[in-house]
Amino acid sequence: MVARTSAAPPTPWSESLAEPQIHETAYLHSFSEVIGDVRIGANVLVAPGTSIRADEGGPFFIGDSCNIQDGVVIHGLEEGRVLGDDQQPYSVWIGAKSSITHKALIHGPAYVGEGCFIGFRSTVFNARLGKGCVVMMHALIQDVEVPPGSYIPSGAVITTQQQADQLPKVQTADRHFAKEVLGVNEALRLGYICAEDSACIMPIRAHLKPTHKPTQSVGMDTMQSQRLTPEVIQQVRQLLSQGYKIGAEHADRRRYRSGVWQTCTPIQSTRESEVLSALDACVAEHAGEYVRMFGIDSKVKQRVATTTIQRGDGKAVAVSPMAVATAGGGYSSARSATAPIGYAGQAGLNPDLVQQVRNLLNQGYKIGTEHADSRRYRSGVWQTCAPIGSSREPDVLSALEACLSEHAGEYVRMFGIDTRVKQRVSTTTIQRGDGKPVAVNGSAPEVTRSNGGYAAAAPAPAGQSEGVAQQVRSILAQGNKVGIEYADRRRYRSGIWQTAPAIRATSESAALNELSQFLAQNADAYVRIFGINPAAKQRTSAVTIQKPGQGPIVANPPVYNAYPDRVVDSRTANHANGNGAHLASDVAQQITQLINQGYRISTEYADQRRYRSGAWQTGNPIQATRPSDAIAALESQLAEHQGHYVRLVGIDPRAKRRVLETTIQRP
């Protein structure tokens, strides 16, 4: 084993010239560097580009069967120690069977318990992580003690003990993933050791055989493959006929879950038989892995029509016919006569979804997509699908089909991207992970720039604003019923609402008609509506839609996210300009409602950089039990965080979960 190790240099704080202690079964790559009092246990893998320097703080301990991956930095301050499992002080302690992945930073004083997983580019500093914690990508853990078995999502910033104590628990899938990473790196360690031992590597080389098998051409120069389905062959033929080249990628299950794909051997030919032969070879070589193909527009250097053609879990892959441009510039799909018409992965897209895409493109927006499995969906953590660079409708629809097919069994949502102001519009869930149908209204994204919101193109019944119609549409689209509450002026000031019978209709037009009748009968009352989840027996946050003498008032309704019991409100308070004005009446009413229902409130704030990263910081706790006190405390915090984004959070103290997140200040 060749490894760069050296003693710690003499310094004013250390003249011991301590050297690394490395177990004989550990493997340190020659491009890694280990300095000072570093104690590395058995069966450890230290990958290329790793820097482990105990030249300021020390000692370091790295337990048995750990893997320290490419680009990891482990360092420590001169002062500050943690207590290791052997009850001795260390600058850095990393427990056995832990994975420190690519470009992560562990800076002492730091303790990482046994069996932990630290994701790409995450940072642990002056912190203690209990046994079995899973930290995903780009997270920061500082100045806290994280309970054993906690899950830290990607991008999280955990810098207060309250945040650490509220972290969710690791799920079974996370444990399996961490175990799989250990297994892969153990195989790599053994492989590296074998590669440096001629007695081990020579017999392997002697028995290597060519893996390429000649392919046969049948009929009109088209290869018939047992691995490529007729739909894949047809899609290749269509791409080649439109002047695209073909590319392919593969990923094992671990990389597939992380969205990390590796390129198959490039396909230079544009002859159909040779392309199919190369695709067949890629699928055969990577049996048991995920494989996807795509078209390459060599003029603009962009991908089109990404399609999964093999799944690593052995499940069959239904390849949708590729979207092709028609003479009128529209979208057509060469469906088979027997194929059902449904979502991507079956044989095309829902016509309403196609119309919604067309509306967004016609207004100059680009299209983006995100996906989440059931666990990430509950945590609100979405992962981005392959970017859609094209603005051509056929290319966009093809990319949408590919995303839906690739992430079958997951939640998928689509949104428009305003490239001028770099903002999203019209986020719409287009596939549910539980298999339930998703109602997509093709006319919804008629976006108006006057107030930052959007109103549907469909006309609302007389006496109602477009905002009310959109509010009802959002509630029904999530499978909820529409509930109604009303109050006269006296009760409204006291925050006392009376409940009316819920709207029984499940169609938008019928629900709006019922609501219109109720508003006409109670023209002198305050009226608000909310969603009711009949299965969970929970309600979403209520929104006032009528005030006496003003009629319907919702001109910019809240934008609902995928959670049935949480609303993200797009309205902001009068603090948007940071002038310290009083809270908007709707926000004050929201606080009154939360307090009267027994919920607690708190705030989170973020500067523009953290806001873009989704990294919010927790504001000072608000312990008030009276609405007036809570409003005063909130106004004080808004004044304190002028120039920051601030959002109001409602918390159910019994269930220990959030019921509301509302942005109430923008810089």
Side-chain angles (χ1 to χ4, degrees):
M1 176 183 65
V2 180
R4 295 190 294 178
T5 62
S6 59
T11 58
W13 57 84
S14 175
E15 296 181 355
S16 63
L17 302 179
E19 296 186 0
Q21 303 173 36
I22 302 170
H23 195 276
E24 59 183 5
T25 61
Y27 180 84
L28 276 64
H29 195 277
S30 59
F31 289 170
S32 64
E33 191 158 23
V34 181
I35 298 173
D37 190 358
V38 180
R39 304 165 192 181
I40 298 179
N43 303 320
V44 171
L45 170 66
V46 178
T50 298
S51 175
I52 306 175
R53 295 193 297 115
D55 51 8
E56 180 179 351
F60 295 174
F61 178 89
I62 301 175
D64 296 348
S65 301
C66 287
N67 58 90
I68 313 299
Q69 299 180 12
D70 311 65
V72 167
V73 173
I74 303 177
H75 196 244
L77 296 178
E78 175 190 353
E79 297 182 354
R81 297 293 182 268
V82 296
L83 198 62
D85 292 349
D86 59 1
Q87 304 305 307
Q88 298 299 316
Y90 292 87
S91 179
V92 174
W93 173 282
I94 299 177
K97 298 182 179 180
S98 290
S99 296
I100 315 298
T101 67
H102 311 295
K103 295 191 176 182
L105 169 61
I106 310 296
H107 204 292
Y111 173 97
V112 178
E114 178 181 343
C116 285
F117 177 91
I118 310 298
F120 313 145
R121 295 183 180 272
S122 288
T123 299
V124 179
F125 169 61
N126 193 31
R128 189 177 185 92
L129 273 67
K131 179 179 179 180
C133 288
V134 172
V135 181
M136 299 306 289
M137 281 62 79
H138 291 263
L140 169 64
I141 300 95
Q142 178 181 341
D143 305 329
V144 295
E145 181 171 348
V146 178
S150 296
Y151 176 85
I152 296 91
S154 295
V157 177
I158 310 300
T159 55
T160 67
Q161 193 57 45
Q162 181 183 13
Q163 292 173 318
D165 292 339
Q166 293 177 350
L167 289 169
K169 290 296 183 182
V170 171
Q171 302 296 313
T172 303
D174 302 317
R175 294 192 182 94
H176 289 169
F177 174 62
K179 185 176 181 181
E180 187 176 344
V181 172
L182 281 175
V184 168
N185 283 273
E186 173 60 14
L188 285 171
R189 183 187 68 85
L190 295 173
Y192 280 124
I193 293 174
C194 177
E196 295 180 357
D197 184 354
S198 58
C200 176
I201 198 67
M202 291 307 294
I204 298 176
R205 288 178 174 170
H207 287 85
L208 285 177
K209 296 180 180 180
T211 57
H212 178 73
K213 297 181 180 179
T215 57
Q216 297 179 348
S217 295
V218 179
M220 298 179 64
D221 201 29
T222 300
M223 182 192 73
Q224 296 295 324
S225 170
Q226 296 292 329
R227 302 180 184 91
L228 302 181
T229 65
E231 290 81 7
V232 172
I233 295 173
Q234 178 62 27
Q235 187 153 329
V236 169
R237 184 175 295 124
Q238 288 181 338
L239 286 168
L240 293 175
S241 67
Q242 295 181 38
Y244 297 118
K245 288 190 173 183
I246 305 297
E249 296 174 320
H250 65 94
D252 56 25
R253 297 187 185 187
R254 178 177 61 84
R255 289 190 172 91
Y256 174 75
R257 287 194 294 267
S258 303
V260 179
W261 293 79
Q262 296 176 287
T263 305
C264 295
T265 303
I267 304 174
Q268 302 296 341
S269 175
T270 55
R271 292 183 62 224
E272 184 178 315
S273 61
E274 295 176 357
V275 171
L276 293 173
S277 176
L279 273 180
D280 187 69
C282 177
V283 171
E285 181 179 351
H286 301 290
E289 297 187 29
Y290 292 83
V291 179
R292 66 183 184 186
M293 75 168 188
F294 47 88
I296 303 172
D297 189 333
S298 54
K299 290 182 288 186
V300 296
K301 297 182 180 179
Q302 288 183 344
R303 295 186 180 188
V304 298
T306 302
T307 304
T308 300
I309 60 177
Q310 176 177 281
R311 291 181 61 91
D313 53 14
K315 294 181 180 179
V317 178
V319 179
S320 300
M322 189 187 71
V324 294
T326 64
Y331 165 75
S332 67
S333 182
R335 297 184 176 91
S336 63
T338 59
I341 299 176
Y343 289 100
Q346 296 178 354
L349 297 172
N350 181 298
D352 289 336
L353 177 57
V354 174
Q355 182 60 42
Q356 186 159 331
V357 170
R358 183 173 296 127
N359 288 342
L360 287 168
L361 293 177
N362 288 340
Q363 296 177 63
Y365 297 114
K366 288 195 172 183
I367 305 297
T369 51
E370 295 175 321
H371 64 96
D373 56 25
S374 297
R375 180 179 60 80
R376 288 189 172 91
Y377 173 74
R378 289 192 297 270
S379 303
V381 179
W382 293 79
Q383 295 176 288
T384 305
C385 295
I388 304 175
S390 176
S391 297
R392 294 179 61 245
E393 184 179 318
D395 297 340
V396 172
L397 294 172
S398 180
L400 276 179
E401 286 188 336
C403 179
L404 289 167
S405 176
E406 183 177 334
H407 301 290
E410 296 186 32
Y411 291 83
V412 179
R413 66 184 183 186
M414 174 189 79
F415 49 88
I417 304 172
D418 189 330
T419 54
R420 289 175 294 181
V421 296
K422 297 181 180 180
Q423 288 182 345
R424 296 186 180 187
V425 297
S426 299
T427 301
T428 305
T429 299
I430 59 176
Q431 177 176 283
R432 290 181 60 90
D434 53 14
K436 294 181 179 179
V438 178
V440 180
N441 193 314
S443 63
E446 291 295 331
V447 183
T448 137
R449 300 177 184 274
S450 61
N451 55 15
Y454 74 89
Q464 291 192 24
S465 71
E466 287 297 327
V468 175
Q470 175 58 28
Q471 177 72 13
V472 171
R473 183 180 301 117
S474 299
I475 293 173
L476 295 177
Q478 299 177 53
N480 294 335
K481 291 185 177 181
V482 180
I484 306 175
E485 290 179 332
Y486 63 100
D488 57 23
R489 295 176 185 270
R490 180 177 59 82
R491 288 189 172 90
Y492 176 79
R493 287 194 294 269
S494 302
I496 301 173
W497 293 79
Q498 294 176 280
T499 303
I503 293 177
R504 292 171 295 179
T506 56
S507 69
E508 179 184 339
S509 59
L512 288 173
N513 285 332
E514 285 191 41
L515 183 58
S516 181
Q517 294 175 12
F518 183 87
L519 292 173
Q521 295 169 2
N522 297 274
D524 294 328
Y526 292 84
V527 179
R528 66 185 186 185
I529 61 174
F530 52 92
I532 303 172
N533 186 332
K537 296 182 180 179
Q538 293 176 338
R539 55 181 279 173
T540 63
S541 178
V543 176
T544 301
I545 63 171
Q546 177 178 283
K547 291 185 178 180
Q550 297 183 24
I553 63 170
V554 179
N556 187 16
V559 181
Y560 277 70
N561 67 4
Y563 292 83
D565 60 342
R566 184 184 299 177
V567 179
V568 180
D569 199 333
S570 63
R571 296 169 301 171
T572 59
N574 294 334
H575 289 271
N577 57 7
N579 60 5
H582 292 294
L583 289 175
S585 59
D586 286 342
V587 178
Q589 178 187 338
Q590 188 83 70
I591 294 173
T592 301
Q593 176 194 345
L594 290 169
I595 296 296
N596 289 341
Q597 292 180 357
Y599 296 130
R600 292 184 179 179
I601 64 170
S602 65
T603 58
E604 293 178 332
Y605 63 96
D607 58 24
Q608 294 191 7
R609 178 178 62 82
R610 288 191 170 91
Y611 177 79
R612 288 194 296 269
S613 305
W616 294 80
Q617 296 177 279
T618 304
N620 295 328
I622 298 177
Q623 304 293 348
T625 57
R626 294 193 308 169
S628 58
D629 295 340
I631 291 171
L634 185 57
E635 288 179 341
S636 175
Q637 290 200 21
L638 288 172
E640 180 181 351
H641 297 294
Q642 290 184 19
H644 288 73
Y645 292 84
V646 179
R647 65 183 183 189
L648 171 70
V649 179
I651 302 170
D652 185 342
R654 291 170 296 180
K656 295 183 178 179
R657 63 178 179 84
R658 297 187 177 193
V659 296
L660 174 75
E661 289 179 356
T662 303
T663 300
I664 59 175
Q665 176 173 287
R666 295 176 183 270

